[in-house]
């Protein structure tokens, strides 16, 4: 005896589950936090001159880091093309395997009838199974994703060029404190906040919308 398969109910359930998941996640979104930095300038003219020198050193450091990053990006193309060629070979092998798996999948589905259905299993040949075996366990093979030269380039830039150390802001803040100024860091909530979460201060010198601020205070 064959058990009927309620494909309509399954399709409706597959359509509803993602919507329910999105609604659940939206209702319990995790708060996002950032570090807000505020500066208290020195109280003496000498201290203010010192801070101006710190700012000059910060600008020079940032220019050096920017130049180093651009130089790194300019040299990334050969590595990106090599990585793309390697990924393309892997993709072609995966695509051929996918085409074989897809053909077996479609052949198996076309032969399912009666109480027992023949199923071709690579490496074993044709085997018999009950006809009421749930299709849930027979997912169609997933096609591989083709590689992209642009994505490989972006990945290598992030790994090799964006990860280079550039402690300009840290050095600036140490210099700022050495001049007699004050630097205060506060963890604040910037999204999905609760009433009890600390909020950004409107008087801070740096914008709180990034995880770690790099703005510099005014010497005025």
């Amino acid at each position: 005896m064959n058990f009927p398969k309620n494909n309509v109910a399954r399709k409706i359930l597959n359509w509803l589950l993602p919507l329910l998941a999105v609604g659940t996640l939206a209702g319990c979104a995790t708060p996002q936090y950032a570090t807000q930095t505020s500066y208290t300038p020195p109280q003496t003219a000498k201290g203010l001159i010192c801070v101006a020198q710190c700012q000059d050193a910060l600008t020079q450091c940032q220019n050096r880091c920017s130049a180093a990053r651009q130089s790194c990006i300019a040299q990334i193309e050969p590595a990106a093309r090599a990585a793309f060629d390697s990924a393309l070979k892997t993709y072609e092998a995966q695509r051929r395997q996918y085409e074989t798996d897809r053909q077996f999948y479609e052949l198996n589905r076309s032969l399912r009838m009666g109480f027992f259905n023949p199923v071709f299993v690579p490496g074993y040949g044709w085997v018999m199974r009950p006809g009421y075996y749930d299709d849930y366990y027979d997912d169609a093979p997933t096609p591989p994703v083709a590689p992209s030269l642009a994505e490989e380039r972006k990945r290598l830039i992030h790994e090799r060029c964006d990860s280079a150390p550039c402690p300009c802001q840290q050095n600036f803040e140490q210099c700022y404190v050495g001049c007699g100024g004050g630097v205060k860091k506060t963890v604040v909530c910037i999204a999905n906040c609760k009433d009890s979460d600390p909020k950004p201060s409107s008087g801070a010198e740096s914008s709180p919308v990034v995880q770690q601020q790099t703005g510099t205070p005014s010497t005025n």
Side-chain angles (χ1 to χ4, degrees):
M1 176 180 178
N2 265 344
F3 291 92
K5 302 174 182 177
N6 195 340
N7 292 327
V8 174
R10 182 180 292 113
K11 289 180 179 179
I12 294 176
L13 184 61
N14 291 338
W15 179 76
L16 286 176
L17 283 177
L19 295 180
L20 293 174
V22 171
T24 301
L25 290 175
C28 58
T30 302
Q32 298 178 18
Y33 300 94
T35 301
Q36 177 176 274
T37 305
S38 58
Y39 300 87
T40 302
Q43 299 301 310
T44 64
K46 182 178 179 180
L48 293 177
I49 294 175
C50 177
V51 166
Q53 294 173 344
C54 295
Q55 289 181 315
D56 290 341
L58 172 64
T59 300
Q60 294 173 9
C61 178
Q62 291 174 334
N63 289 340
R64 288 194 300 269
C65 287
S66 178
R69 182 178 184 274
Q70 292 303 319
S71 177
C72 177
I73 293 176
Q75 301 175 31
I76 212 74
E77 192 64 23
R81 290 191 174 276
F84 172 73
D85 290 342
S86 177
L88 189 60
K89 293 178 181 178
T90 301
Y91 165 76
E92 288 298 336
Q94 293 175 341
R95 187 185 61 79
R96 288 192 296 269
Q97 183 61 49
Y98 163 74
E99 290 297 333
T100 300
D101 294 343
R102 183 180 60 80
Q103 292 174 9
F104 284 136
Y105 172 79
E106 293 177 352
L107 180 60
N108 288 337
R109 289 184 63 85
S110 66
L111 293 174
R112 290 174 188 172
M113 62 187 69
F115 187 75
F116 285 96
N117 296 327
V119 177
F120 187 86
V121 179
Y124 293 92
W126 291 97
V127 297
M128 303 299 291
R129 73 170 189 179
Y132 56 82
Y133 192 82
D134 197 338
D135 282 345
Y136 177 79
Y137 296 100
D138 294 327
D139 295 331
T142 303
V145 179
S148 164
L149 177 59
E151 288 299 319
E152 291 296 329
R153 186 186 297 112
K154 180 180 179 181
R155 177 180 64 83
L156 288 174
I157 290 175
H158 175 71
E159 291 179 357
R160 300 186 181 184
C161 304
D162 294 338
S163 60
C166 186
C168 299
Q169 186 68 17
Q170 179 182 354
N171 293 342
F172 169 78
E173 291 176 359
Q174 292 176 352
C175 181
Y176 194 91
V177 172
C179 294
V183 178
K184 180 181 178 181
K185 293 184 179 294
T186 307
V187 176
V188 296
C189 183
I190 58 174
N192 306 320
C193 304
K194 302 176 183 177
D195 293 338
S196 59
D197 288 327
K199 304 302 188 297
S201 172
S202 59
E205 295 288 350
S206 302
S207 171
V209 297
V210 293
Q211 183 175 5
Q212 178 62 45
Q213 285 71 30
T214 58
T216 62
S218 172
T219 58
N220 293 334

